[in-house]
């Protein structure tokens, strides 16, 4: 993007690490993979009920979390298949968007 007075605007980002052995590209790829997992947890928290677990006991909550993680994986597969047929639906659509699409 060119600014009004002839300069360019740059966006600087940094990753702080103590891994001196890895190359820069490997550090960036590892960081990006971590970001993808953060998005998965965001979907689990907001779309599949991990924000407020239903039970008081750890073992029961573990079962709940495993089942909902399976449901999220199935939903991701299903939404990719449906979005290839219906162009108004994105393959990365959330549950709320899918509910609006169906209803």
């Amino acid at each position: 993007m060119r600014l009004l007075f002839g300069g360019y605007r740059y966006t600087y980002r940094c990753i702080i690490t103590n891994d001196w052995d890895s190359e820069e590209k490997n550090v960036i790829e590892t960081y990006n993979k971590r970001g993808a997992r953060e998005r998965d947890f965001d979907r689990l928290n907001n779309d599949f009920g991990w924000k407020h677990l239903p039970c008081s006991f750890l073992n029961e909550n573990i079962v709940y979390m495993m089942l909902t993680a399976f449901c999220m994986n199935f939903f991701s597969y299903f939404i990719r298949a449906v979005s290839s047929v219906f162009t108004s639906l994105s393959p990365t659509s959330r549950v709320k968007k899918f509910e609006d699409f169906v209803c």
Side-chain angles (χ1 to χ4, degrees):
M1 171 194 288
R2 194 143 170 88
L3 294 178
L4 182 63
F5 298 108
Y8 288 96
R9 179 180 297 173
Y10 295 99
T11 301
Y12 294 97
R13 302 184 195 276
C14 68
I15 299 172
I16 299 173
T17 181
N18 61 355
D19 185 2
W20 297 99
D21 299 328
S22 296
E23 295 181 16
E24 291 85 4
K25 184 178 179 180
N26 292 339
V27 170
I28 293 169
E29 289 172 355
T30 302
Y31 181 79
N32 288 339
K33 288 178 188 175
R34 181 183 174 273
R37 297 297 67 83
E38 290 290 331
R39 282 190 299 278
D40 288 342
F41 280 110
D42 176 56
R43 291 182 68 199
L44 285 165
N45 282 333
N46 296 313
D47 294 352
F48 291 93
W50 277 26
K51 189 177 284 188
H52 302 287
L53 296 174
C55 304
S56 298
F57 300 103
L58 179 64
N59 288 337
E60 295 167 354
N61 284 329
I62 288 173
V63 171
Y64 174 80
M65 293 171 82
M66 290 173 70
L67 288 173
T68 53
F70 175 77
C71 290
M72 186 195 77
N73 288 333
F74 176 75
F75 177 76
S76 297
Y77 167 77
F78 179 74
I79 202 74
R80 278 193 303 270
V82 170
S83 67
S84 66
V85 176
F86 298 99
T87 57
S88 62
L89 197 62
S90 169
T92 58
S93 293
R94 306 278 291 246
V95 172
K96 178 76 171 153
K97 172 81 173 169
F98 182 71
E99 287 174 354
D100 292 342
F101 173 77
V102 171
C103 298

